[in-house]
Amino acid sequence: MNDWPEGFSGDNRGSRYGRGSSSAQPESARVMRQVRRGPAASPGQAGYGGGVPPQPSYVDGGGYGPGDGYDSGYNTGQVYGSPGGRGPGGPADGMYEPRPAPNWRRRIKVTAITVVTLLVVTSVGTYFWADSKLNRDVDLSKVIDRPEAGEGTNYLIVGSDSRKGMSAEEKKKLHTGSAEGKRTDSMMILHTGGGAPTLISLPRDSNVTIPSFKGSDSGKFYPNTGRQTKLNAAYAEDGPELLVRTVEANTGLHIDHYVEIGFAGFANIVDAVGGVEMDIPQDIKDTKSGADLKKGKQTLNGEQALAFVRTRYALAGSDLDRTKNQQKFLSALANQVATPGTVLNPFKLYPTMSAGLDTLVVDKDMGLFDLASMFWAMKGVSGGEGKSMNMPIAGNAANGNLQWDTAKVKTLVNQLKNDEQVTVSGN
């Protein structure tokens, strides 16, 4: 018995409505029967007995008037509006397109530019930081009657016994004593130019004549009286300016730059680079300098290094042997500082620069490039490219000081002025 209203038999519902399908193809969009609202139609009217009245098709937007523009998109396989049945932005087969290969050339270029930029910024920052720490306290414009400058550059390098800033414990540890003021403990002339560098030690006991000069602070003129004394007395009397004036007057060589370092600074630099390797030629024990070293290769720390370069009473040649040890050590120190292991390692470079620059005293015209040139030249001396020597000595003067060999000194100075290879030998 059919309980459906007349005209709604199963035969009127279409061959597939409610019956499932064995086809692999999905069913088309089903058309829902329209249920009329309002009064029922009389028998014989369309919709009853004559079957279901034709309904508008909604496939492809049908059933709407022209221009309605409606398109459900359902039967075209579109999902969320993406064409061709794809997911959002995906390919037709449901797989994402492969990611393009990385542009390594561009990545390398960007990395290289970044690294170079960082190096430039770091270098510029380091330069201004280091330049600000230089103590430009020496004014060479105060030096009078100066000889003409020759070829190349001449540095007067001074190691002073200044104890400025040292505590009582440090003075005791480094065996410096507590004398007031400061004196020169070592003096050297470093010549650089077109050829190999030359390092010349000036013994502190060298006999010199104090020339006419103007006081560095008072500006008072002091005429030459022919007074002869030890070279280091010039520094003790009126500081770096008079020392430069005395060296120039007694040699005829123009000094371009002045560099000085004290006891504490010297020891701090050595410790900052992790010590300096030296080949000690003999056992050294000196109670005055504190040296207690054994013969052979060893790494000296700051305390040991300072004792080594100050020792003279335990050496047969006294001050002359000491100057040779000072040359060897400073060259070895420069050779160790000017290495990639120090220059490219910020954990070594900055402590070394800080320790050295804080205690360096230079002339007002001295720049970092001048200082770097000086260190590289000293490294060349230690590498065998240059020459190291003492100022030629003829013997002792009447007052017991060391007398320079006048003829050899004249030849030496002429060769340095002309930036020629030095053929003169020292003691």
Side-chain angles (χ1 to χ4, degrees):
M1 178 177 181
N2 188 349
D3 294 332
W4 287 85
E6 184 180 357
F8 281 84
S9 63
D11 294 335
N12 292 341
R13 284 175 287 159
S15 61
R16 299 177 62 185
Y17 183 81
R19 294 183 180 180
S21 175
S22 61
S23 172
Q25 199 68 13
E27 293 182 1
S28 300
R30 294 172 180 172
V31 179
M32 295 182 65
R33 299 291 189 261
Q34 298 297 311
V35 179
R36 295 176 180 270
R37 303 298 181 184
S42 61
Q45 281 185 305
Y48 287 92
V52 179
Q55 300 295 316
S57 173
Y58 290 90
V59 178
D60 296 327
Y64 285 84
D68 287 344
Y70 174 80
D71 183 0
S72 66
Y74 183 82
N75 283 335
T76 63
Q78 295 180 3
V79 179
Y80 302 114
S82 64
R86 294 176 291 175
D93 58 0
M95 300 292 293
Y96 284 101
E97 295 180 3
R99 182 177 297 176
N103 189 338
W104 289 109
R105 180 178 296 180
R106 182 176 180 277
R107 290 188 180 186
I108 293 173
K109 182 179 179 180
V110 171
T111 301
I113 292 175
T114 302
V115 171
V116 170
T117 302
L118 288 174
L119 287 176
V120 170
V121 171
T122 301
S123 299
V124 172
T126 299
Y127 176 86
F128 284 104
W129 167 77
D131 188 72
S132 67
K133 295 179 76 68
L134 281 177
N135 300 308
R136 297 182 174 91
D137 297 336
V138 180
D139 189 356
L140 295 182
S141 66
K142 295 179 180 180
V143 180
I144 64 173
D145 300 334
R146 307 191 67 187
E148 292 184 3
E151 299 293 330
T153 304
N154 299 310
Y155 299 86
L156 181 59
I157 304 172
V158 175
S160 75
D161 65 357
S162 172
R163 300 158 178 84
K164 183 179 179 180
M166 295 177 64
S167 65
E169 182 179 352
E170 288 175 324
K171 292 176 183 179
K172 181 179 180 180
K173 177 182 177 181
L174 298 177
H175 300 271
T176 64
S178 300
E180 295 298 326
K182 58 180 183 178
R183 286 151 291 278
T184 52
D185 211 55
S186 61
M187 291 161 284
M188 303 178 189
I189 294 175
L190 175 66
H191 174 82
T192 65
T198 303
L199 184 62
I200 308 161
S201 285
L202 309 175
R204 57 182 289 176
D205 293 340
S206 297
N207 190 57
V208 295
T209 299
I210 301 296
S212 301
F213 70 95
K214 282 186 177 181
S216 57
D217 292 328
S218 65
K220 182 181 178 180
F221 181 77
Y222 296 90
N224 178 10
T225 61
R227 175 167 56 99
Q228 294 187 336
T229 184
K230 294 180 180 181
L231 180 59
N232 67 336
Y235 181 95
E237 187 172 333
D238 197 49
E241 288 83 359
L242 180 54
L243 178 60
V244 171
R245 169 72 177 128
T246 302
V247 170
E248 289 186 340
N250 283 267
T251 63
L253 188 67
H254 181 89
I255 299 299
D256 297 289
H257 292 295
Y258 178 91
V259 181
E260 176 188 327
I261 189 168
F263 282 162
F266 180 84
N268 289 341
I269 291 176
V270 175
D271 286 334
V273 298
V276 176
E277 185 179 67
M278 287 292 297
D279 189 357
I280 308 298
Q282 65 183 71
D283 290 348
I284 299 177
K285 190 171 182 64
D286 185 359
T287 56
K288 291 192 175 182
S289 69
D292 187 6
L293 305 170
K294 299 297 181 182
K295 179 181 178 179
K297 284 188 177 181
Q298 55 199 284
T299 299
L300 305 182
N301 60 27
E303 178 184 348
Q304 295 169 324
L306 183 59
F308 175 69
V309 298
R310 294 183 61 217
T311 294
R312 63 170 175 164
Y313 295 104
L315 305 176
S318 188
D319 201 36
L320 292 178
D321 282 349
R322 179 172 72 161
T323 56
K324 294 177 183 178
N325 286 342
Q326 291 170 346
Q327 290 176 348
K328 291 177 182 177
F329 185 85
L330 289 179
S331 296
L333 175 61
N335 187 64
Q336 186 158 330
V337 170
T339 60
T342 299
V343 175
L344 300 180
N345 184 352
F347 297 102
K348 272 193 174 183
L349 176 62
Y350 285 94
T352 301
M353 293 182 69
S354 182
L357 296 174
D358 280 340
T359 55
L360 277 180
V361 177
V362 299
D363 65 89
K364 293 186 179 299
D365 295 326
M366 186 82 164
L368 284 178
F369 288 113
D370 299 307
L371 194 61
S373 296
M374 184 192 79
F375 271 100
W376 280 105
M378 293 185 69
K379 180 181 179 181
V381 172
S382 67
E385 301 171 3
K387 180 181 180 69
S388 61
M389 58 182 288
N390 277 327
M391 187 64 82
I393 302 296
N396 291 331
N399 57 8
N401 300 330
L402 295 174
Q403 186 65 51
W404 292 350
D405 188 317
T406 305
K408 286 187 176 182
V409 169
K410 183 177 180 179
T411 301
L412 172 63
V413 170
N414 286 335
Q415 290 175 341
L416 294 177
K417 279 186 173 182
N418 297 320
D419 197 24
E420 299 173 350
Q421 181 179 357
V422 173
T423 59
V424 179
S425 60
N427 298 78

